[in-house]
Amino acid sequence: MTAERSFKNGSTPTVVLVHGAFADGSSWSGVIAELQDSGIPVTAVANPLRGLATDAAYLTGVVAAIDGPVLLVGHSYGGAVITWAGTRPGNVVGLVYVTAFALEAGESLLDVTGHFPGSLLGPALRPAVLRAADGEETVELFLKDERFPAVFAADLPGPFTSVAAAAQRPIAATAFEDSSPDASWKILPSWYVVATADQAIHPAAQRFMARRAGADTIEVDASHAIALSRPAAVADHIRTAATTTTTGAVKHTHPA
């Protein structure tokens, strides 16, 4: 674990947005605009979606190159990535989970979803085999185009969801089985946005993870694509987290 850096009280953190599966950095477009209007520095990374170890290592490198404090924000699978990477660069001051996986050490996405059945995600997945130049095969997962609206973005217009389905980025199937070696929410203050109409991650699972992390939590009536359908609400909670970490007023406890 990397030693923490010291920052001047009042340093505004750079918000680093980490998307999840079946999406890309553009999924944060409305949130980015809201944060920029508030004068908060923000960047959206291109999550590789190749597995937790690979993705966390990439994110760690991105964050370590930022000169100053960082607030990590993860959506969906991106939450698992920030959970692993959170304590490694040394300049992360908080975590924001947006209908995201806040894993315990040794826990995987499948562990969480298995305890909270009812999600529409599993039956909507479409596997595809990717063959690399060396002949090695990797199984990737897409959302079936016809299931994309209901599972991912039921509160967005049809023409948008059809384009989003065609442009979706697949995730390596092994990412669902990878377990996180760390639970950085035990060390860092955390915030959570629960999407109450989410059909990909059951709202009960979201509430469980938020409560376990001792996160400052809000609930919003939105689909899994909450960053696109309700960007102002998401940005407002991120703004709260950024303001809190800027003033140094963080008081973080998590259940024993």
Side-chain angles (χ1 to χ4, degrees), residues 170-221:
I171 186 170
T174 55
F176 282 81
E177 303 169 1
D178 293 339
S179 60
S180 177
D182 296 317
S184 56
W185 45 260
K186 291 184 175 181
I187 300 171
L188 297 167
S190 59
W191 290 259
Y192 204 107
V193 181
V194 172
T196 61
D198 196 330
Q199 298 298 323
I201 303 177
H202 199 290
Q206 297 176 51
R207 295 185 183 108
F208 166 76
M209 290 184 284
R211 184 169 58 249
R212 180 175 64 180
D216 180 341
T217 303
I218 64 168
E219 298 202 0
V220 180
D221 181 16

Side-chain angles (χ1 to χ4, degrees), residues 17-20 23-30 32 43-47 169 228:
L17 304 168
V18 184
H19 66 80
D24 58 25
S26 67
S27 61
W28 295 109
S29 57
I32 292 170
T43 185
V45 302
N47 189 357
R169 290 185 56 214
L228 284 165

